[in-house]
Amino acid sequence: MKIISTIALAALLAIPALAQTGKVLDNLSVPSKLLKSERKFAVYLPPDYATSERSYPVMYLLHGAGDDHTGWVQFGEVLHIADKAISEGDATPMIIVMPDANTGRRGYFNDVKGDWNYEDFFFTELMPYVEKKFRIKGEKRFRAIAGLSMGGGGSFMYALHHPELFSSACPLSASTGPITLDDAKKNLIRNNPSIADSTVERYYNRHSALALINNIAEDQKKAVRWYIDCGDDDFLYEGNSLVHIALRKKEVPHEFRVREGGHTWTYWRESLPEVLAFVSKAFHQY
């Protein structure tokens, strides 16, 4: 009888621990006037969200080309990885928002023609919507952005365009944008054969991480905490290395990680716990 009671007690004690898991909602949407469509997004809610009344910090987590808002859910295992990091004390409980940038057109930026303004949608429609719908602390110090590949490029641009909105930015295996003005022209002229040189230059200065870093204002050098991670076999390694060098020359504090690996989900799943820990330091007021 004593043995049975002990087993029963152990089982009862284990129930709360088993119940402490987060939740992913991966079929949510927000109406967009700018993009003239319903825009899907996914959200990770931390384990205590349903039982607490507190508000949480938020990380926007951007997918890469070919994926959508479910990429980090399905392949990135965000639920398991975030739950584990939070339960082990390596990350603070946070909400993770994963938008879709693969429907209609692909990408996180405003189109050069001005007829598909995804970046405007992100900041004026998506962000206000989710930060009102969920219990999110809508302040810079409690907001971070991260992403892989195309989403790494989005992380670079969004944080460089709006350093007043993000405490941390974590581009992973990032597409850093055109390295030179000539590269920008070659990329743009494919779909815009009569594009003006002045338009190319404006676009380059806004969508090249190197151009943005080289023109960064002195008082903005410490505005965002940077964590940059790219595998040594990644085809985007050159751009990330050049960004690292540019940041060093400009004396912008940042973390730069190069690990063994390529442009793969295996690499990014290993990156995510480090990202969660990094952004949590700012959330905790390090």
Side-chain angles (χ1 to χ4, degrees):
M1 180 65 73
K2 186 176 181 181
I3 293 174
I4 294 172
S5 298
T6 302
I7 293 172
L9 178 61
L12 286 170
L13 292 173
I15 288 172
L18 291 171
Q20 289 299 301
T21 60
K23 185 176 183 179
V24 166
L25 309 173
D26 66 358
N27 196 32
L28 303 173
S29 65
V30 53
S32 171
K33 292 181 180 178
L34 285 170
L35 302 181
K36 299 179 177 63
S37 61
E38 286 284 323
R39 304 301 306 184
K40 293 284 186 70
F41 67 95
V43 168
Y44 164 84
L45 301 174
D48 60 348
Y49 186 86
T51 57
S52 80
E53 296 182 359
R54 59 172 290 210
S55 294
Y56 295 81
V58 63
M59 182 174 77
Y60 291 87
L61 186 59
L62 310 182
H63 66 78
D67 286 324
D68 59 21
H69 59 292
T70 65
W72 276 106
V73 177
Q74 181 68 36
F75 309 119
E77 299 178 10
V78 67
L79 176 62
H80 167 71
I81 291 172
D83 277 358
K84 185 172 186 288
I86 292 169
S87 68
E88 294 179 355
D90 296 324
T92 192
M94 69 182 79
I95 293 171
I96 302 174
V97 178
M98 296 157 278
D100 172 25
N102 196 51
T103 301
R105 298 188 199 177
R106 178 182 292 178
Y108 294 97
F109 311 141
N110 292 348
D111 188 86
V112 69
K113 296 176 183 175
D115 60 350
W116 183 264
N117 295 326
Y118 189 95
E119 182 172 345
D120 292 350
F121 153 75
F122 183 93
F123 287 104
T124 65
E125 293 183 326
L126 174 71
M127 186 182 287
Y129 179 85
V130 297
E131 295 191 5
K132 183 179 180 181
K133 181 177 178 63
F134 299 96
R135 298 195 309 273
I136 288 173
K137 294 182 177 181
E139 304 168 51
K140 167 189 167 78
R141 60 180 174 167
F142 298 120
R143 189 186 294 117
I145 191 161
L148 67 91
S149 194
M150 180 180 79
S155 303
F156 265 125
M157 304 311 151
Y158 285 7
L160 287 165
H161 292 169
H162 291 284
E164 77 281 4
L165 293 179
F166 301 104
S167 57
S168 304
C170 305
L172 309 174
S173 311
S175 171
T176 57
I179 291 173
T180 66
L181 189 57
D182 283 343
D183 290 338
K185 187 169 186 177
K186 289 175 186 175
N187 292 340
L188 290 172
I189 208 166
R190 291 174 194 154
N191 297 317
N192 309 276
S194 59
I195 193 168
D197 287 346
S198 59
T199 303
V200 173
E201 186 171 0
R202 282 196 302 272
Y203 195 85
Y204 170 74
N205 286 332
R206 188 160 178 80
H207 297 94
S208 165
L210 285 173
L212 287 162
I213 291 163
N214 287 330
N215 293 317
I216 197 168
E218 188 68 32
D219 63 355
Q220 295 300 312
K221 289 183 177 180
K222 295 183 180 179
V224 177
R225 298 172 66 253
W226 290 98
Y227 181 92
I228 302 164
D229 184 5
C230 188
D232 58 357
D233 293 323
D234 198 301
F235 72 97
L236 294 173
Y237 176 78
E238 179 186 9
N240 283 268
S241 298
L242 290 173
V243 164
H244 162 58
I245 292 167
L247 288 168
R248 288 199 63 177
K249 286 182 176 179
K250 283 289 183 177
E251 298 182 336
V252 176
H254 65 287
E255 300 294 326
F256 180 55
R257 298 287 180 270
V258 177
R259 295 182 289 110
E260 182 179 358
H263 207 74
T264 67
W265 275 108
T266 298
Y267 191 90
W268 303 319
R269 283 191 293 268
E270 292 174 354
S271 299
L272 187 55
E274 301 301 322
V275 166
L276 295 171
F278 183 83
V279 302
S280 291
K281 289 181 181 178
F283 295 159
H284 280 143
Q285 303 299 285
Y286 59 96

